[in-house]
Amino acid sequence: MVKSNMAAHMSRLRGWSRVQRCGIAVCRQYSSGGSYPNISLSTPLPGIPKPVFASVDGHETHETKITTLENGLKVASQNKFGQFCTVGILVNSGSRHEAKYPSGIAHFLEKLAFSSTAQFGSKDEILLTLEKHGGICDCQTSRDTTMYAVSAEVKGLDTVVNLLADAVLQPRLLDEEIEMTRMAVRFELEDLNMRPDPEPLLTEMIHAAAYRGNTVGLSRFCPADNIEKIDRKLLHKYLQSYYCPERMVLAGVGIEHEQLVQCARKYLLNVKPVWGGSTLANIDRSVAQYTGGIVKAVKDMSDVSLGPTPIPELTHIMIGLESCSFLEDDFIPIAVLNMMMGGGGSFSAGGPGKGMFTRLYLNVLNRHHWMYNATSYHHSYEDSGLLCIHASADPRQVREMVEIITREFIQMNGTAGEMELERAKTQLKSMLMMNLESRPVVFEDVGRQVLATGRRKLPHELCDLISNVTASDIKRVTTKMLRRKPAVAALGDLTELPSYEDIQAALTSKDGRLPRIYRLFR
């Protein structure tokens, strides 16, 4: 009985109709012979309410709004439709400001972030409070910025700003929390030296070589010797110097500007920090001094595999030249040049989407099968910058690898082809717009730009600047870079590494070749 009923139901569905489409008219016919009249697809259906679409009140809604409070704190927001928002406090404080202090304070503060505060007894209490609004929190430090951020539901904005203000200005810094941080820092340092990917370590080394002993050349990680030296008193002294409203931005994406300003006035305007008043006189305002030089670390890289498949023993070299600050006009041409160089690992060389047409793929990885990596990086700060190329190969072929990279630096000075330049500019614009689809990335972009310049360049402004870059701009910035001394970082078996003087000579030659050496015995 059930089977026959189901069969009858299925036959009714099959005989539901034949659908005739003539232009935009649709006629539905039942198996019984009855049919609907022809109805245009653009005609509203009877009994269905008219849809209401979200609308934007002019172009202003998409722009970043900025308000400066009476105490100097900047509040910046970008409206973005959605249920969730990302809000955070960015502080002009990082490892570059530790000249008067033991190195590693910024690293400690990153690990101590969102621990117990005046209002919240523990990190667990903070996480449970955020959980009520579907929120997560994070803190990241770089060489020049410390960023406390929370992503949560928009309706929890008041709670989020209250929590951020408390985490930044009222941390308890208990002895047991500092002790736990010491353990976390030790573990991170061990992990840094053991991990197969040497890029973070090489980045530290190239900065130390380029800016020897000053500002962005100071280590981003706490040296092992300083772990026991950092205590609550020292942390408070540092916070007193750098955590002041004039050096902070409260940034938010996905919320109304007035609502964020109201919360900032409520929780950040007349709040006295746990370390007392700020003393701006102690701030280190040193400008980055590019020195150039070499930092080497001989290390056994023969067994760095984490799994059963062994990784070949490699020597890693990074060569860099001083570029420019992100505040200068040359920043955009150098960003295009970096994209033109591109590159990557030998295992990611497939497909145009992975940069197959960049110079380091075409001229290096596709021609020299024994090279495992050739990647271009651009690090830029408010007073200097560094364009560098990271390369990896077998220790026996280090000299040849270095010569290939120095040749690429010299060839930057040639005239870029029209198609090559347009491809690099399109790729840079594409990467910029793709990254800005993510709400946390927009938040970081808003916060960092407002912290550094007091305003934000919108994506369409940046795209216009990228479009205006010419081949002569690329040649000009390259010529300027090649006049400076190189910075070199080398890690692994360095038996075949050329001397710093030879690398410098190659970068000042016409063809980028290293001086020839003649050996009686090999």
Side-chain angles (χ1 to χ4, degrees), residues 78 118 162 170 201 220 272 302 312 354 421 457 498:
Q78 180 92 6
N162 178 26
Q170 306 289 333
L201 201 56
R220 197 168 67 83
K272 188 177 180 183
S302 59
K354 293 188 177 176
L421 182 61
K457 280 184 181 173

Side-chain angles (χ1 to χ4, degrees), residues 195-197 301-314 316 347 372:
R195 62 194 301 174
D197 174 26
M301 307 284 280
S302 59
D303 185 21
V304 293
S305 177
L306 291 176
T309 308
I311 296 173
E313 182 180 1
L314 300 175
H316 303 272
F347 299 108
Y372 282 78

